[in-house]
Amino acid sequence: MLQFDIDAQRRHLIDGELRADLSMPCRRCLQPMPVAVSSQFRLAIVSDDARAADVPSDYEPVLVDNEQLNLLGAIEDELILSLPQVVYHDEADCAVSREQLSSGDASVDTQARPDNPFDVLKSLKGKL
């Protein structure tokens, strides 16, 4: 939902509310999972930095060229800003449990690694 307005100082304002149901990969098992995203925003359309400084603090200034706003791009930006940084299934619903991550893979990695990480460099130096 978007509402457009012009205030007493002739600034163009947009009050918006976004809601979207997205599918994002779980960071544990990499399987898609549903994520509900919502955002409320207040934008003030400005043509230069001087006008951006005069925007009320409850509005975010959006700098535009030739007084034209790419509305789809502005909405997309707000949606991206509202995405969660990390998404996990509930542990009971996830295909990979914490126990599998902490026990299974760690033993394989420690066996394949040399004790000293510089041993690999020493062997390369001898070949040159």
Side-chain angles (χ1 to χ4, degrees), residues 12 14 22 30 33 41 44-45 50 53 63-64 66 77 79 93 96 103 106 112:
H12 298 303
I14 302 173
L22 308 173
L30 300 178
M33 62 177 287
F41 56 92
I45 312 304
L63 193 60
V64 296
N66 299 328
D77 290 346
L79 188 60
D93 298 333
V96 178
S103 65

Side-chain angles (χ1 to χ4, degrees), residues 40-92:
Q40 291 185 345
F41 56 92
R42 301 181 85 180
L43 305 176
I45 312 304
V46 294
S47 57
D48 57 35
D49 290 332
R51 290 185 183 206
D54 294 335
V55 171
S57 62
D58 54 337
Y59 282 88
E60 179 183 346
V62 176
L63 193 60
V64 296
D65 294 325
N66 299 328
E67 295 189 19
Q68 293 184 0
L69 172 68
N70 177 359
L71 188 58
L72 181 60
I75 292 171
E76 185 179 74
D77 290 346
E78 290 299 323
L79 188 60
I80 289 171
L81 288 171
S82 66
L83 290 174
Q85 290 184 359
V86 181
V87 179
Y88 293 107
H89 283 115
D90 288 334
E91 200 166 330

Side-chain angles (χ1 to χ4, degrees), residues 1-4 13-18 41 43 71-72 75:
M1 178 178 85
L2 297 174
Q3 291 183 335
F4 301 90
L13 308 174
I14 302 173
D15 290 324
E17 182 178 348
L18 296 174
F41 56 92
L43 305 176
L71 188 58
L72 181 60
I75 292 171

